Structures are given as C-alpha cells and as structure tokens.
Amino acid sequence: VQVAESGGGLVQAGGSLRLSCTASTSEVFDGFTTMEWYRQAPGKRRELVAGIRDGGKTDYLDSVQGRFTISRDKNTVYLQMNSLKPEDTANYYCKVVALGGGYDYDYWGQGTQVTVSS
C-alpha cells in the first residue's frame, strides 16, 4: 500500500491550506475503512487531528474543531485547514486502515510539513 500526502507549505496566521492524501495498492484488500490525519510538532507526541470512518463519521481534535474539515473521495482524503495558527505548525501524516481477511492493517505516509508564521 502506498500512501502519498501533498499540500503542505508555509502560510501566514489566519491563512488556509488543503492537504491531500491518496492511498493505492496492488494487493487484495476489501477496502480502506478509516482514513486519518495526525500531526507531530518537534518535541511533542504525534496526535490525531481528524479522522473519517466508513459511512462518513468524522472526529476532530478539540483545538481544530470548527477550523479544519476532513473529507473523502474514494481512496483520497482531504484536510481543509482554515484560520491557521502558529500552534498548528507540525509535520502532518496521513494514516489509512486497510481491511483484509477480517483484519485491519495500518499504513502511514511520509508526512508533509505545515508551517504557520505569526
């Protein structure tokens, strides 16, 4: 399974960015169930920012609720980030969960850097 993120960059506080993540595979899976965005800032633990499940249920980190929106189109997940703050600066990672043979398998992307200047 390949997981490829894009869309990071440098933006001023108050600005917007849209991250994209596409999962692809030549292996036999029943599909990608959950797709999530995590972030990790230097010296901090990786944290779940937003997730979208099969059926469309979404979850958000409290500090991004109302500013970030996660959406999905088949095997691509997006994270629309508005009203960005300097504390949103981090490396953002996409995680996808593939269902196969009744088991879940987690796959991660390499990350994309988001830097918000004050």
Side-chain angles (χ1 to χ4, degrees):
V1 175
Q2 291 77 47
V3 180
E5 304 112 328
S6 62
L10 173 64
V11 65
Q12 288 189 331
S16 298
L17 283 174
R18 188 192 196 207
L19 305 183
S20 300
C21 167
T22 298
S24 58
T25 182
S26 58
E27 301 178 57
V28 177
F29 283 108
D30 296 322
F32 298 109
T33 54
T34 299
M35 302 183 83
E36 297 172 324
W37 285 100
Y38 287 75
R39 68 186 182 189
Q40 187 167 21
K44 294 189 176 181
R45 296 177 63 181
R46 189 171 294 189
E47 61 183 357
L48 175 62
V49 177
I52 186 165
R53 325 291 170 198
D54 255 359
K57 184 180 185 301
T58 58
D59 300 289
Y60 294 94
L61 181 68
D62 285 347
S63 62
V64 308
Q65 183 79 42
R67 300 189 296 121
F68 291 11
T69 303
I70 191 169
S71 60
R72 177 177 176 178
D73 180 12
K74 296 181 182 178
N75 292 344
T76 297
V77 63
Y78 304 95
L79 186 67
Q80 178 66 43
M81 305 185 294
N82 298 328
S83 303
L84 282 161
K85 304 176 181 180
E87 51 263 44
D88 294 319
T89 295
N91 207 358
Y92 282 70
Y93 297 89
C94 177
K95 189 187 91 170
V96 302
V97 180
L99 176 65
Y103 293 91
D104 290 336
Y105 300 87
D106 294 349
Y107 296 92
W108 292 84
Q110 294 296 311
T112 184
Q113 179 67 36
V114 171
T115 303
V116 184
S117 63
S118 56

